[in-house]
Amino acid sequence: MKVTINDVSMDFAPGTSVIDAVFAAGYDVPYFCSQEYMSPIGACRMCLARVGAPRKDREGNWILDEETGEPKIFYFPNMMATCTTQVMEGMVVDTLSDDVKRVQNGMVEFTLINHPLDCPVCDKGGACELQDRAYEYGTGESRFVFDKRHQEKHHPLSEVITLDRERCIHCKRCVRYFEEVPGDGVLDFIERGGHTYIGTLEDGLPSNFTGNITDICPVGALLDTTSRFRGRNWEYDHTRSTGMDDAGGSAIVIDARTGRIERIKGALNPEVNKTWIDDGTRFGHEYVDADDRLRSPLVRKDGELVPATWEEAAQVVRDRLGGLSGKDIGIALRADATLEEGVAAKALAEALGTGQLDHAPRPAASVVPQQAPATLTDLATADAIFVVGDVTEEVPIADLRIKDALKGVTPPEMMAHGVPIADLRLKEHPVFHRERLSVAAPYRVDLMKHAGRTASYPAGGEAALFAALQAIAEAQDAKAEDAEAAAVQLDDGQRAALGMSLADAEALVRGLREADNAVVVIGGFVLATRAAAAAAATFAKAVGAKQLILGPMANSYGLELLHVGPSHDRYAYPGMLEGARALILSNLDPAQDPDVRATLEQKDFLVVHDLFLTETAKIADVVLPARSVYERDGTTVNLEGRFLPLQAAPVDAGESEDFVGVVGALGDALGQRLEGRSVRSARRVLRKRFELDPAELGPSGELYRPKGRPAPRVSIRSDEAVGGNVLVTPSMLRVEYLERNPHLLALSGGSRLRVNPADAAQHGLGDGEAVSLRVGGVVRRARVRLDAGVPAGLMLLPTLPEQPVGLAHADLATLTRDERELEVAG
C-alpha cells in the first residue's frame, strides 16, 4: 500500500508500523519505549507525528478534495504514536512541521522533569538515548525549578544488575522484555504517577537472561555491575565477535579499555540470537584478567618451572620430541578451539607423524547429523518441538528461540533500516502456546514450566525412552494402515522408560508427525551413548522431524567437520592419555583425576598450553600461555552448521598465543613452514576444504551444507553401558572459570551439588555446606543444595570439559567437608 512520508512516497506491506515507514523513507522520529523484537506499546509518546488518511463514502468511493480532485486527506485530531499505528492505503505522515516538533519537544521536557541530569557521573553518558533525544528535539532549557523526585539509587536487583530508580524514565522495556522474551515475569511497575518505580520479586531476578535489560535500557537506570564506574562508552574499544561459551554462536560485542575486558554486550544476528545473550556469556569474562593468569612460557629446569622465551620453549619441545617416534606423541585441543587452530593441530600432527590427534570433550555420538540439522530459525518457527535434555543450561539461546516458536510469530522481514522497530504482530503479555512443546529430562529442568507435556525418565534411560516412542510411532503407523490393528501395547519397562503417561506419549508422537515443521532437540544426555543417539535419529526420521544436536562446546561441530580426530579409536583422547609417551595438551586439565595425574607424571614429555597453572600444567615440562576465546581471530561453527567469525579484542595478554601461534613457533623450531602457522595460512586450507572464505564471512555468518554424507568418525568409547549415582548436568556457567569470575560466583553461589533432602540426611549433609567428592575419578568441590526435584539416590553436579554430561560413579567414601573452603569461610 502507498504511503507518503513528508515528501517521499513508498509502498509498504500491510501491517507495517508507521514508525518503520518513517525510517524506511529516510526520516527519523524519536522513541524510547519501542525496541526491536518486543511489542510496541506507545508508552513514552515520543514518536508522535501528524498522521492522516483518505476516507471512503458509503458507496465505497474515495472522498475527493474539491480543489485537486485527489482523495482528500483527513488528519487525526491528535498526534499519533507512530509505533502503534499501522499504515493504510494513501496515508500521509508529517514528521517535520512545527506542530510536530513542538509536541516532540514537549515530550522531551516532560521526560526530563524528574530526571537527575547526572550525565557527568552516569555510566551511560555518551551512549544515552535520552541525551541524544534531548539534544536533537529539546530546547536546552528547563522551566521547572522545583526539587526533583528522589528515589532509591544503586539498588541491587541481583549480584550483576544495579538499578538507579531516579534515572528510570518508565519506558517499560525491561518489564516487557522479561514477559515476552524469556517468559519470566519478574519485573513490574509499582505505585502510580510520580511515585512509580520498577520492582522485582523478593528473590531477585530468577532468570538466566537478566543482563539483556542493561543493553535495552535507554538511559543509565540499569547497569552491568561488573563494569560500573569502569569507563565511558567512547573510551571503549568495541569489538564484534562470537560467543564461545556454548554451541549457540551468539553474536557479542567485547568492550575493552586499557587492555582489559570491561563488559560483554549482545550484538545483532537475526539468524542466531537476534540481540539476546545469556548471563553466563555476558558476565563470564572476568577470569581473563585474573592475577594468576599465565603471560609467558615456562620451562622445567632442575625440577622447577621457570620463565623462558618462546624460542627457548620451542627449542626444548623440538629437542625432547626429536628422540621419540611420531606414533608415541599425542595432541589434544579443547573443543572451543577455532577452525584455524584445528588446521594448525592437524599440520603439527602430520609433521610429527602421529595419528594421535583429538579434541575434547567429544561425546560418544556424532554432533554432525547424517541429514542437514535444523536451524535456529527452524526452531523459532516450529509448530511441534520435542526437547530431551536441559537446553536452557546447555545452549541457552536455543531456549529463547523455542519461546519464539511458542509465541507463534514468525521472525520479521528485514527492512532498509534493519530489524523493524515496531512489529505490530507482537503483543504485550503474549500467550505462549505451550501445547507445541514437550520436554523430557531425568530431573525437572527450567524449560518444563513452559511445556505442555513433560517427562521425567530414569537417568541414563535415553535409549529406552526413544525406543518406547518408536514403538508408539510404529503402532500408530500400523493403525493408520489397518483400522483393525491392535492399540499401542507397551510392557512395564517401556512405560517406565517414557516418564509420562501413555496418552501423553501418543499425543507427543502424533503432534510431531502431524506438524508442518517439527524439531527434535537432542542434548548431551542423549549424545552420551551411541545407542541413544541412534535411537533418537531413528525416531526423528519416523515422525518426519528435523534434529538439532547440542554439542558440548562452542566448536564441537566445526572440529568434527574438519576431522580433527584420531586415525584409530585407541588413539582417541582417553586412549592417548594412557598410551602416548609424549603429550601436547591445549586448554585441557586431565590431571584433576589423581589416577590420570599419576599416569601423566610418568610420561617422557608433557607440554601444556593454557591460561592458568592448572593441575596438569603444574606437572608439565613446558607450559605455554594461551589466549582466551576473546583474544583470538578465527572461525567457529555453531550447532546448526553456521560458520561464524571471531575477532580478537585488544586485551593485554602478555606473550600469550592461540594454538596457531604455538604451531608457528614449533614449526620455526622444526625448520618447517607448516600449514596453519598463521590464521591467514590456515584459512587457505579452509577455503579449499569447505569452498568458502572465512575472511569474508558477514556478521550473520554462513550456513554450510556438505555435499554428500558426513565422513564416519572414530568413536571414543566401545562400551555403551552407563550407570552411576551422580548425573553430570549441563551448565550455563563455565565452572572451570567460576572462582575467577567474582560476580557470577556471588550470583550462583559457586558450583552446586544438588541432593535430594532424604539423601542429604542419610549422608549428613546440610544445605550450603562445602564438600569435596571424587566423581568419575575427578576430585570435585561444590556446595550442597537441597533440592526435592532431584531423584532419590542421585546427585546432580555441573559439567567440566574433563567431565562431560552423563552418568558417572562417585565414590561416596570420599565425600568430605571441604576444609579449605571452611577455612576461607571462617
Side-chain angles (χ1 to χ4, degrees):
M1 50 185 60
K2 196 174 201 64
V3 179
T4 300
I5 298 94
N6 299 319
D7 57 350
V8 176
S9 293
M10 298 180 67
D11 288 321
F12 294 99
T16 303
S17 66
V18 172
I19 193 172
D20 282 304
V22 170
F23 276 85
Y27 291 98
D28 183 23
V29 288
Y31 64 91
F32 291 128
C33 63
S34 287
Q35 174 69 23
E36 297 90 342
Y37 298 120
M38 295 199 313
S39 65
I41 60 171
C44 69
R45 315 309 293 174
M46 276 300 304
C47 66
L48 296 174
R50 187 167 179 253
V51 179
R55 294 180 186 170
K56 292 183 178 180
D57 59 23
R58 293 182 179 180
E59 284 73 35
N61 300 314
W62 293 113
I63 299 175
L64 302 180
D65 188 295
E66 294 179 357
E67 295 183 3
T68 65
E70 297 293 325
K72 183 177 181 179
I73 303 300
F74 294 84
Y75 285 93
F76 289 95
N78 297 312
M79 299 288 178
M80 300 295 291
T82 56
C83 66
T84 55
T85 305
Q86 185 175 150
V87 296
M88 299 167 57
E89 181 64 43
M91 179 177 277
V92 174
V93 182
D94 167 25
T95 68
L96 299 178
S97 66
D98 290 340
D99 285 343
V100 173
K101 295 298 183 185
R102 177 180 55 80
V103 171
Q104 291 173 345
N105 171 266
M107 291 311 304
V108 170
E109 189 173 19
F110 278 128
T111 304
L112 292 173
I113 286 176
N114 280 308
H115 201 76
L117 298 180
D118 56 350
C119 305
V121 297
C122 178
D123 285 65
K124 204 82 169 190
C128 174
E129 295 179 41
L130 181 56
Q131 275 187 331
D132 294 340
R133 301 295 88 81
Y135 176 78
E136 295 166 351
Y137 298 94
T139 63
E141 298 179 358
S142 174
R143 293 178 291 168
F144 299 94
V145 296
F146 51 78
D147 192 30
K148 295 190 174 187
R149 174 193 64 196
H150 294 288
Q151 291 200 10
E152 184 180 3
K153 299 179 73 69
H154 316 303
H155 174 73
L157 290 180
S158 73
E159 297 289 347
V160 291
I161 305 290
T162 299
L163 168 64
D164 188 323
R165 286 177 174 156
E166 285 189 350
R167 296 175 185 165
C168 178
I169 61 171
H170 304 159
C171 69
K172 210 178 181 183
R173 283 186 186 180
C174 55
V175 174
R176 284 152 49 222
Y177 162 77
F178 277 115
E179 291 176 347
E180 299 174 20
V181 181
D184 302 320
V186 296
L187 279 181
D188 208 346
F189 283 151
I190 300 174
E191 299 292 349
R192 300 182 66 186
H195 301 287
T196 303
Y197 66 94
I198 296 295
T200 183
L201 299 173
E202 291 184 1
D203 53 350
L205 300 176
S207 174
N208 288 323
F209 306 96
T210 65
N212 292 311
I213 61 176
T214 66
D215 284 350
I216 64 176
C217 181
V219 292
L222 291 164
L223 296 174
D224 173 347
T225 305
T226 67
S227 62
R228 285 179 74 217
F229 312 135
R230 298 291 307 182
R232 309 307 290 266
N233 193 66
W234 62 84
E235 297 175 315
Y236 292 137
D237 292 299
H238 308 289
T239 305
R240 183 188 169 104
S241 191
T242 301
M244 296 291 282
D245 287 299
D246 57 64
S250 296
I252 61 172
V253 173
I254 308 167
D255 283 350
R257 179 173 178 264
T258 62
R260 182 184 188 273
I261 295 177
E262 299 293 355
R263 66 185 179 192
I264 303 294
K265 301 179 68 177
L268 173 65
N269 186 338
E271 304 298 325
V272 180
N273 62 306
K274 301 204 283 192
T275 59
W276 317 124
I277 57 176
D278 62 272
D279 288 348
T281 298
R282 182 180 299 275
F283 303 114
H285 60 82
E286 292 180 291
Y287 73 92
V288 174
D289 196 48
D291 292 337
D292 60 340
R293 181 173 173 182
L294 296 172
R295 298 183 181 275
S296 63
L298 303 174
V299 173
R300 190 170 297 279
K301 294 181 179 179
D302 300 324
E304 298 291 333
L305 287 171
V306 297
T309 65
W310 270 94
E311 291 76 12
E312 291 171 340
Q315 190 71 29
V316 172
V317 175
R318 188 201 70 171
D319 294 343
R320 295 288 296 274
L321 294 183
L324 297 173
S325 169
K327 65 180 181 180
D328 293 326
I329 303 170
I331 303 171
L333 308 176
R334 194 169 66 187
D336 58 358
T338 63
L339 288 181
E340 288 78 0
E341 290 178 294
V343 169
K346 292 185 71 173
L348 180 61
E350 183 178 352
L352 296 176
T354 180
Q356 300 197 63
L357 170 67
D358 207 351
H359 64 275
R362 187 159 64 90
S366 173
V367 301
V368 181
Q370 292 297 308
Q371 303 297 326
T375 64
L376 288 167
T377 299
D378 288 334
L379 189 63
T381 56
D383 48 358
I385 303 170
F386 181 38
V387 176
V388 182
D390 191 353
V391 64
T392 310
E393 294 288 340
E394 206 153 359
V395 181
I397 196 59
D399 172 293
L400 298 187
R401 300 317 300 269
I402 288 171
K403 289 166 185 171
D404 285 343
L406 301 188
K407 285 184 285 188
V409 178
T410 58
E413 296 290 334
M414 295 295 105
M415 302 188 70
H417 55 282
V419 181
I421 296 167
D423 186 344
L424 295 174
R425 300 172 303 162
L426 298 174
K427 305 299 180 185
E428 195 176 8
H429 311 300
V431 175
F432 288 85
H433 299 280
R434 295 159 52 97
E435 70 279 1
R436 298 184 177 185
L437 176 63
S438 301
V439 179
Y443 55 95
R444 182 153 189 87
V445 301
D446 186 71
L447 194 58
M448 285 181 174
K449 66 187 178 186
H450 298 282
R453 281 179 292 271
T454 64
S456 296
Y457 61 84
E462 290 78 18
L465 167 66
F466 280 108
L469 292 173
Q470 180 68 24
I472 293 173
E474 292 170 356
Q476 289 181 352
D477 285 340
K479 194 72 174 176
E481 295 177 4
D482 181 4
E484 300 300 321
V488 177
Q489 298 291 329
L490 297 181
D491 59 34
D492 291 342
Q494 290 174 312
R495 287 176 180 268
L498 287 173
M500 68 180 98
S501 69
L502 180 58
D504 279 349
E506 289 186 86
L508 162 64
V509 174
R510 190 179 303 110
L512 291 170
R513 175 170 281 144
E514 295 175 354
D516 294 326
N517 181 17
V519 178
V520 176
V521 181
I522 302 302
F525 296 135
V526 178
L527 299 178
T529 65
R530 295 194 302 277
T538 300
F539 173 70
K541 184 176 181 181
V543 297
K546 294 181 179 180
Q547 282 191 91
L548 186 63
I549 298 176
L550 312 181
M553 294 202 82
N555 203 21
S556 295
Y557 193 115
L559 294 175
E560 184 174 329
L561 204 63
L562 189 60
H563 303 155
V564 180
S567 59
H568 191 278
D569 58 3
R570 67 175 180 272
Y571 293 154
Y573 179 59
M576 77 168 68
L577 291 178
E578 182 70 29
R581 293 176 58 189
L583 289 170
I584 301 175
L585 304 178
S586 179
N587 291 303
L588 293 167
D589 188 17
Q592 293 177 83
D593 183 332
D595 294 336
V596 175
R597 179 188 179 105
T599 300
L600 295 178
E601 288 175 336
Q602 303 304 315
K603 299 295 182 186
D604 291 354
F605 189 55
L606 177 60
V607 180
V608 171
H609 174 234
D610 213 319
L611 279 79
F612 302 101
L613 200 63
T614 61
E615 294 300 316
T616 307
K618 291 175 183 177
I619 61 174
D621 298 290
V622 174
V623 179
L624 304 175
R627 291 184 182 178
S628 73
V629 293
Y630 309 107
E631 300 153 18
R632 303 180 198 169
D633 288 309
T635 313
T636 185
V637 185
N638 77 346
L639 75 172
E640 56 181 351
R642 184 182 300 275
F643 280 61
L644 293 162
L646 274 75
Q647 185 175 349
V651 177
D652 180 11
E655 299 176 44
S656 301
E657 292 285 352
D658 59 7
F659 204 75
V660 170
V662 171
V663 171
L666 295 183
D668 290 343
L670 294 169
Q672 300 184 41
R673 289 177 58 82
L674 302 178
E675 294 282 11
R677 63 187 175 274
S678 65
V679 169
R680 183 177 178 182
S681 171
R683 284 179 171 170
R684 286 198 294 267
V685 176
L686 295 175
R687 280 196 296 270
K688 294 178 183 177
R689 173 68 178 80
F690 298 112
E691 299 181 354
L692 59 81
D693 190 349
E696 296 181 358
L697 289 173
S700 294
E702 185 174 336
L703 273 178
Y704 174 75
R705 294 294 180 252
K707 298 175 182 178
R709 291 190 172 188
R713 70 169 203 163
V714 174
S715 176
I716 63 168
R717 302 179 190 175
S718 58
D719 182 12
E720 290 289 351
V722 295
N725 52 4
V726 171
L727 184 63
V728 181
T729 64
S731 175
M732 178 191 70
L733 308 180
R734 294 291 294 272
V735 176
E736 66 270 28
Y737 298 136
L738 190 53
E739 292 194 359
R740 295 183 175 91
N741 282 319
H743 286 87
L744 269 186
L745 183 64
L747 178 69
S748 65
S751 181
R752 296 287 191 176
L753 178 67
R754 294 161 63 186
V755 185
N756 185 285
D759 293 335
Q762 179 182 351
H763 299 297
L765 298 176
D767 193 37
E769 191 172 21
V771 296
S772 176
L773 177 67
R774 187 167 176 177
V775 179
V778 178
V779 177
R780 300 293 303 273
R781 294 179 174 85
R783 194 171 289 276
V784 175
R785 179 181 178 183
L786 302 187
D787 187 346
V790 176
L794 193 67
M795 300 180 184
L796 307 185
L797 195 63
T799 184
L800 287 174
E802 290 74 27
Q803 197 158 61
V805 168
L807 278 170
H809 287 282
D811 182 0
L812 296 180
T814 65
L815 180 61
T816 59
R817 290 189 176 186
D818 194 331
E819 297 298 334
R820 294 185 303 174
E821 178 69 23
L822 292 176
E823 289 175 5
V824 172

